[in-house]
Amino acid sequence: MDKEDNTIESKLSANGKTLLEKRYLLRDAKGKIAEEPNELFRRVAKAIAGVDSTYGYSVDKTEDDFYQVMADLEFLPNSPTLMNAGTELGQLSACFVLPVEDSLKSIFKSLQDMSLIHQSGGGTGFSFSDLRPEGDPVRSTEGVASGPLSFMTIFDKATDVIKQGGRRRGANMGVLRVDHPDIFKFIGAKKKEDMLRNFNLSVGVTDEFMEAVSQDRDYALVNPRTGKVKKRLKARDMFDRIVTCACQTGDPGLLFLDEINRKHPMSAIGTIESTNPCGEVPLLPYESCNLGSINLALMVKEGAIDWQKLKETVDTGVHFLDNVIDANKYPLPEIEQRTKQNRKIGLGVMGFAAMLARLGIAYDCEEGIATAEEVMKFIREEAVQKSVELGEQRGSFPNFHRSTLAKDYPAMRNATVNTVAPTGSLSIIANTTSGIEPMFALTYQRNVMGTRLTEIDPVFEEMARKHGFYSKHLMEEIAETGSLQNILNIPKETRRVFATALEIKPQWHVRMQAAFQKHVDNAVAKTVNLPHEATEEDFREIYMLAYRLKCKGIAAYRYGSKAEQVLEIGGTG
Ligand code: ADP
């Protein structure tokens, strides 16, 4: 083992290493692991840094910078980049949106496109709002249409059979506008456990609809094929249905379409109707976006935020993600063309809750919210500046002059720079809390592709040792419930800082999402995690608050409302 390897081995947690081995490290023709973690990071750094030579820059320093931020677990690109950079497949993006027009040809083209994207490790989002409703006439066959839901089932089944080479199951977002006549069926679609398992569902709502809910007015269901009003109904009745289903099953969430399009710098080019699977990237049809996340837990030095280090990591992250656009091998020519016109990237964060804990700040308080805003504002401003610099050196993205950015900046390389991804896998590799979520539990088991991994939150363990209350017995006691709140011999302040997702009031979850959204030009992936006892009223308040606070979407999940969950409380269960 060389020195490089030793450093990485000491940084990776056992779970991080297991995950890399299971799904990321390259294998030979016999299926045997053929690279070490340091070689993975070297492969990725080399493939992505190589792009610099086409712009006349020296590759070596860039490669070393890229390697170092990854090997130090300070920045990681999204999973497809880690898996595929420098390989023949070479598909590097996590996020895609595909169009679905009202014809069999378009529907089945998208189905095929979806299969190629899933096979290469990406996730897909679709708006089904243009499809004529169930029972509507079909002229060519003199039959009747079967409606969006029946087609979604086919997309779902196709997703089941394409398992991304065994590395992960595909994921989709399905959107239907609230004024589509089949909206009732859409809302209740996941009540049956085995239905649309590979979809997250979001109802696309407009300001007009949300205002109609607030003021108890009617709204119209409109046939998208004819433009004719099918019927009028009370907005509140529809909202209640949404809330009831969300409380029972976790779906649907909402997408705030007007807010998304108001903030979209490319609104002159088209209207956004969908996002990628987890909601953090609203995209035009055929656009893709590659993501990367900074590990905020490592941006703390001596109890304070290390702004200089954060700045350098943002610069490296933007440079890296912009290079990914050129290094990428796109699954379809349409996607390559659209993506390269706007060059959207999504630099995000993980380990936010761990950062707060290291700073001694609770998540659910004004100081927690203020810290979120301060950090994300800094990241966005720095990322924009870096993108301007790249724009000056390498040219702005081709649609720059059609974007709203042209009035504020002299040049810009990317139509969007930042996002907040869930970092479901990345946070395990980096051994920190996911995205901007609070700690889920202080000890827990993760269910990753059928393997159960037990974890003690690393920052909690570090703090427990630092403040002298670490003991094996205590950890076992905490493992029973995953929580500190009933262990009274731990100082109250410490208990506050380590409040877990289900102990944090839902309003704080939404406020935190909104605080990040203020300084994010894509969107923010966040799940408002609620205890099992949460009510429909809680869901109603959360969805309304998200709209009022100008979030771009909202998803909430009541613990235990799905048979299969990714995260489970307790180290013993
Ligand atoms: P990771 O940590 O693996 O990089 P995230 O949890 O941050 O990924 O998810 C980011 C995006 O990656 C998702 O919104 C989705 O677009 C895509 N993605 C995540 N998991 C999957 C999956 N199993 N199949 C397809 N796409 C996925």
Side-chain angles (χ1 to χ4, degrees):
M1 246 189 238
D2 60 18
K3 184 166 154 279
E4 213 170 55
D5 192 18
N6 268 328
T7 346
I8 294 173
E9 293 288 324
S10 68
K11 285 188 174 151
L12 282 173
S13 67
N15 289 337
K17 198 155 175 281
T18 306
L19 188 58
L20 285 178
E21 284 166 2
K22 256 193 112 162
R23 290 173 26 193
Y24 291 80
L25 301 179
L26 293 187
R27 289 168 184 265
D28 62 19
K30 291 194 184 123
K32 205 167 142 269
I33 291 176
E35 68 181 355
E36 297 279 333
N38 69 316
E39 289 167 332
L40 177 156
F41 293 130
R42 190 50 79 182
R43 161 173 61 80
V44 176
K46 206 180 191 64
I48 308 303
V51 168
D52 274 22
S53 66
T54 57
Y55 296 103
Y57 297 93
S58 126
V59 172
D60 291 354
K61 167 150 188 338
T62 307
E63 184 185 320
D64 282 343
D65 286 351
F66 288 176
Y67 173 82
Q68 210 54 53
V69 278
M70 290 188 285
D72 289 341
L73 304 175
E74 289 171 357
F75 164 88
L76 291 174
N78 56 208
S79 291
T81 304
L82 290 175
M83 291 170 175
N84 303 335
T87 70
E88 205 175 314
L89 178 60
Q91 198 295 104
L92 309 176
S93 293
C95 310
F96 297 80
V97 165
L98 291 171
V100 186
E101 286 157 22
D102 187 33
S103 72
L104 278 189
K105 206 169 161 196
S106 164
I107 295 169
F108 283 90
K109 173 168 180 355
S110 280
L111 186 67
Q112 178 178 343
D113 293 349
M114 178 197 83
S115 66
L116 295 175
I117 293 170
H118 285 182
Q119 194 180 31
S120 71
T124 39
F126 312 84
S127 161
F128 294 94
S129 304
D130 286 345
L131 298 189
R132 70 191 68 188
E134 185 177 352
D136 212 38
V138 180
R139 201 158 36 115
S140 53
T141 58
E142 296 189 358
V144 287
S146 54
L149 263 295
S150 61
F151 289 113
M152 287 177 72
T153 335
I154 304 178
F155 283 72
D156 187 55
K157 283 280 171 279
T159 304
D160 266 336
V161 283
I162 307 154
K163 287 264 169 61
Q164 304 189 342
R167 294 203 280 198
R168 54 184 188 177
R169 201 167 73 193
N172 301 298
M173 171 65 85
V175 181
L176 197 70
R177 280 174 62 100
V178 73
D179 54 9
H180 192 285
D182 289 3
I183 191 69
F184 296 98
K185 233 179 159 178
F186 179 84
I187 291 170
K190 292 188 73 167
K191 276 198 192 157
K192 276 209 219 111
E193 281 252 317
D194 56 344
M195 277 290 283
L196 301 180
R197 280 177 49 215
N198 305 302
F199 268 93
N200 288 323
L201 301 184
S202 281
V203 176
V205 296
T206 54
D207 288 350
E208 194 188 337
F209 175 78
M210 293 305 287
E211 296 309 323
V213 174
S214 297
Q215 295 160 21
D216 198 11
R217 282 191 273 117
D218 287 358
Y219 85 105
L221 295 185
V222 181
N223 181 331
R225 184 180 60 85
T226 59
K228 287 204 180 115
V229 172
K230 176 133 190 262
K231 79 179 201 200
R232 296 194 67 84
L233 50 139
K234 273 165 78 83
R236 273 194 192 167
D237 288 349
M238 182 55 67
F239 195 70
D240 286 347
R241 267 173 197 270
I242 294 174
V243 159
T244 305
C245 277
C247 183
Q248 281 171 14
T249 69
D251 280 287
L254 300 181
L255 270 194
F256 300 114
L257 296 174
D258 290 330
E259 183 63 16
I260 286 174
N261 284 295
R262 247 191 311 274
K263 298 278 168 64
H264 186 219
M266 307 313 305
S267 51
I269 290 183
T271 306
I272 290 182
E273 293 180 17
S274 181
T275 67
N276 69 318
C278 303
E280 69 275 20
V281 195
L283 292 169
L284 292 166
Y286 286 129
E287 266 190 315
S288 66
C289 186
N290 69 86
L291 317 177
S293 297
I294 294 177
N295 182 355
L296 290 177
L298 300 182
M299 301 292 135
V300 177
K301 196 164 126 194
E302 290 161 13
I305 295 172
D306 186 345
W307 296 106
Q308 182 57 30
K309 183 168 175 186
L310 182 56
K311 173 184 159 19
E312 287 163 13
T313 315
V314 171
D315 286 357
T316 309
V318 170
H319 183 177
F320 185 108
L321 296 178
D322 185 62
N323 278 18
V324 169
I325 298 171
D326 293 340
N328 207 348
K329 290 188 193 157
Y330 291 85
L332 297 167
E334 297 93 319
I335 291 178
E336 172 156 18
Q337 195 213 351
R338 297 276 169 95
T339 303
K340 286 188 169 168
Q341 278 175 349
N342 299 332
R343 300 188 69 90
K344 289 179 177 173
I345 57 171
L347 180 64
V349 297
M350 57 183 155
F352 172 68
M355 165 191 243
L356 284 184
R358 287 209 165 129
L359 296 171
I361 299 171
Y363 190 95
D364 50 348
C365 67
E366 296 301 335
E367 201 185 354
I369 302 281
T371 310
E373 284 205 27
E374 191 184 12
V375 167
M376 211 56 188
K377 183 163 189 279
F378 180 88
I379 291 176
R380 178 157 194 284
E381 283 174 357
E382 190 54 37
V384 165
Q385 208 175 317
K386 181 70 188 176
S387 182
V388 168
E389 186 189 301
L390 287 174
E392 283 166 344
Q393 292 166 352
R394 301 178 177 192
S396 291
F397 63 94
N399 277 335
F400 176 64
H401 287 291
R402 298 173 73 188
S403 77
T404 55
L405 298 161
K407 67 178 181 352
D408 295 325
Y409 304 101
M412 194 132 172
R413 185 70 174 155
N414 316 90
T416 64
V417 293
N418 67 343
T419 210
V420 174
T423 69
S425 302
L426 297 189
S427 62
I428 300 177
I429 299 172
N431 197 23
T432 190
T433 54
S434 45
I436 60 161
E437 299 294 352
M439 290 168 188
F440 187 71
L442 300 178
T443 62
Y444 48 92
Q445 297 206 326
R446 288 205 209 223
N447 186 353
V448 179
M449 288 281 283
T451 308
R452 280 170 168 270
L453 305 173
T454 305
E455 295 176 16
I456 295 184
D457 183 88
V459 178
F460 174 65
E461 188 176 333
E462 173 193 311
M463 290 297 170
R465 287 182 193 277
K466 191 169 153 194
H467 295 291
F469 61 81
Y470 181 89
S471 75
K472 195 154 175 291
H473 172 73
L474 183 67
M475 295 302 131
E476 277 164 12
E477 199 179 335
I478 295 165
E480 295 284 313
T481 59
S483 165
L484 270 193
Q485 302 312 307
N486 296 324
I487 302 181
L488 300 178
N489 53 356
I490 291 181
K492 186 151 172 273
E493 268 315 295
T494 308
R495 280 188 276 143
R496 282 273 297 136
V497 169
F498 288 97
T500 55
L502 300 182
E503 291 156 358
I504 287 173
K505 292 234 157 51
Q507 288 76 3
W508 288 108
H509 283 267
V510 183
R511 284 193 60 194
M512 192 55 92
Q513 179 180 335
F516 275 93
Q517 184 62 69
K518 264 193 191 169
H519 304 288
V520 162
D521 38 32
N522 285 300
V524 176
K526 167 105 187 67
T527 302
V528 179
N529 275 299
L530 298 166
H532 190 69
E533 318 72 71
T535 61
E536 289 178 13
E537 193 48 39
D538 293 325
F539 276 74
R540 187 174 290 116
E541 271 177 32
I542 289 162
Y543 280 22
M544 271 296 173
L545 182 62
Y547 171 68
R548 280 208 311 276
L549 295 181
K550 299 196 186 315
C551 293
K552 290 188 178 174
I554 184 78
Y557 177 71
R558 192 169 56 87
Y559 189 74
S561 60
K562 278 193 179 86
E564 192 183 321
Q565 6 192 92
V566 182
L567 296 168
E568 284 175 45
I569 289 187
T572 51

